[in-house]
Amino acid sequence: MRSGLEAAEYAAELQRLVRYLGVSNGNMQEGSLRCDVNVSIRPKGEEKFGTKVEIKNMNSFSAMQRAIDFEISRQVALLRNGQGEKVVQETRLWEEGSQCTITMRSKEGLADYRYFPEPDLPEIVLTHEYVDRLRASLPELPDSKRRRYEQMGLSMQDVILLANDADVSTFFDEVVTAGAEVKMAANWIMGDIAAYLKNEKLTITEVKLTPESLAELIALIKVGTISGKIGKEVVIELLENGGSARAIIDAKGLTQILDPAVVESLVENVLADNPKQVAQYRDGKTKLQGFFVGQIMKASGGRANPTLMNKILLEKLNMICGIK
């Protein structure tokens, strides 16, 4: 590895592996996962690396990245200034406050590292058959999952975010299995649901929303039963209380208004109530169309079908401006 970023990404992938396998929660802050690093450098063109320095006391991947980058810069500076002898075999600590490494203890040779056979630990021999059997029992691991998501047509950003958490990726897969369109499922999970989880400091397994109810909600939006805006209200209800998307929509009367006569009445009322803005629109301030849209949606409680409403509104505005 050649940089702090590369090492931090490698360690993060190890964390994903242990979480996917259920070995550990992998939380560095809790000590469930510890990463010490060894840093040594070599001038360009040389094959042999210089003296190895060990770094401890890093409780996050970002701290690991900064510690490695600092230590590389420190060793490079010493070599360039003709002070290569000051790079000694030692253990250094990462100081988060000062953003630098400091000496903890020096180690002069292999004996200081306790490199010797442990007599109380017997040799373990694993057969090829045993290893193959274990390999076959493994769940889908992060790299394979990312490749599968790419093949599903998801963006790299969606792929990385979804596959980063085993529980989130399982939830996403179950939503798609329940019939949701792939991209819409990813958008809801990475958008409104992720924001809710972050604000409430919850995980996807701690809310009452089920993959089936999210798939149902997405389907209802897709066929026009409700708008995406109303869907945002419904998903909060599902996250907090669970249940069926259809039941919530029916109980609260949230279905979209698809009757042209009703939408036309809403449009006419808004235009009649805002003569000043209508006059300004007639004089060329066409950006006021967004104002009228907002007022109509407010009057309808967000239930007016956006496509139908925009069509009727534009027709009415064109009539006002004398455009056929």
Side-chain angles (χ1 to χ4, degrees):
M1 299 182 198
R2 297 292 181 265
S3 70
L5 176 61
E6 187 178 357
E9 287 295 329
Y10 180 83
E13 185 70 357
L14 287 177
Q15 182 190 61
R16 283 187 282 271
L17 278 172
V18 298
R19 287 176 171 175
Y20 266 66
L21 294 171
V23 174
S24 163
N25 63 21
N27 292 335
M28 291 186 71
Q29 296 87 343
E30 300 173 1
S32 302
L33 178 69
R34 286 293 184 187
C35 298
D36 297 337
V37 301
N38 293 314
V39 178
S40 57
I41 64 172
R42 63 181 178 185
K44 288 183 178 179
E46 292 191 14
E47 294 185 3
K48 186 178 180 180
F49 281 95
T51 303
K52 175 183 66 178
V53 174
E54 183 182 22
I55 307 174
K56 293 180 176 292
N57 197 38
M58 298 162 294
N59 61 3
S60 70
F61 298 128
S62 59
M64 177 188 296
Q65 179 179 342
R66 294 193 301 275
I68 292 171
D69 289 341
F70 173 85
E71 183 59 24
I72 290 173
S73 298
R74 185 186 75 88
Q75 294 185 26
V76 167
L78 288 173
L79 260 67
R80 286 178 174 172
N81 293 328
Q83 299 176 308
E85 73 282 356
K86 291 187 177 182
V87 180
V88 297
Q89 187 165 305
E90 62 178 339
T91 297
R92 298 178 70 88
L93 293 180
W94 170 247
E95 283 285 343
E96 189 66 34
S98 57
Q99 294 288 292
C100 67
T101 61
I102 60 172
T103 297
M104 176 185 176
R105 61 175 178 267
S106 62
K107 296 179 178 178
E108 297 179 355
L110 296 180
D112 294 304
Y113 286 92
R114 304 294 188 267
Y115 288 159
F116 55 82
E118 169 54 64
D120 295 328
L121 292 179
E123 181 180 1
I124 298 176
V125 179
L126 305 178
T127 65
H128 290 296
E129 291 76 16
Y130 178 75
V131 172
D132 289 341
R133 196 161 58 249
L134 287 180
R135 184 178 289 113
S137 69
L138 291 175
E140 184 180 34
L141 298 179
D143 186 55
S144 298
K145 195 174 290 286
R146 286 192 293 266
R147 293 178 188 276
R148 179 165 62 84
Y149 286 170
E150 283 186 73
Q151 293 172 356
M152 292 167 68
L154 291 173
S155 68
M156 185 54 64
Q157 181 180 10
D158 287 341
V159 168
I160 292 172
L161 291 174
L162 286 170
N164 188 57
D165 186 297
D167 291 330
V168 171
S169 65
T170 297
F171 189 92
F172 168 73
D173 287 339
E174 291 178 358
V175 174
V176 173
T177 299
E181 192 269 329
V182 170
K183 183 57 180 174
M184 289 185 71
N187 287 346
W188 276 100
I189 293 171
M190 294 295 96
D192 293 75
I193 295 171
Y196 178 88
L197 296 177
K198 182 178 180 181
N199 290 336
E200 300 298 322
K201 295 180 173 57
L202 296 171
T203 67
I204 196 73
T205 60
E206 295 173 323
V207 294
K208 295 184 178 180
L209 173 70
T210 66
E212 293 75 20
S213 60
L214 179 58
E216 180 188 28
L217 176 64
I218 291 171
L220 291 169
I221 294 171
K222 193 171 183 179
V223 299
T225 302
I226 59 170
S227 66
K229 181 179 179 181
I230 293 297
K232 291 176 181 290
E233 298 177 25
V234 176
V235 80
I236 297 299
E237 179 79 16
L238 291 170
L239 284 161
E240 294 178 348
N241 302 313
S244 160
R246 169 63 77 175
I248 292 171
I249 293 165
D250 291 343
K252 296 188 174 185
L254 299 175
T255 53
Q256 282 198 100
I257 301 172
L258 297 168
D259 187 333
V262 176
V263 175
E264 183 176 13
S265 177
L266 287 166
V267 172
E268 289 175 345
N269 289 339
V270 166
L271 295 177
D273 292 341
N274 296 277
K276 180 180 177 181
Q277 285 78 10
V278 170
Q280 291 174 335
Y281 184 91
R282 186 188 296 115
D283 292 336
K285 292 186 177 180
T286 55
K287 289 185 178 179
L288 281 168
Q289 182 176 345
F291 166 78
F292 296 128
V293 168
Q295 293 301 305
I296 296 165
M297 293 304 289
K298 182 179 179 181
S300 70
R303 293 173 56 213
N305 178 269
T307 303
L308 179 61
M309 180 263 295
N310 277 299
K311 178 178 179 294
I312 294 174
L313 174 62
L314 189 58
E315 289 173 354
K316 296 292 183 181
L317 291 173
N318 286 342
M319 287 176 62
I320 291 172
C321 296
I323 301 172
K324 294 183 179 179

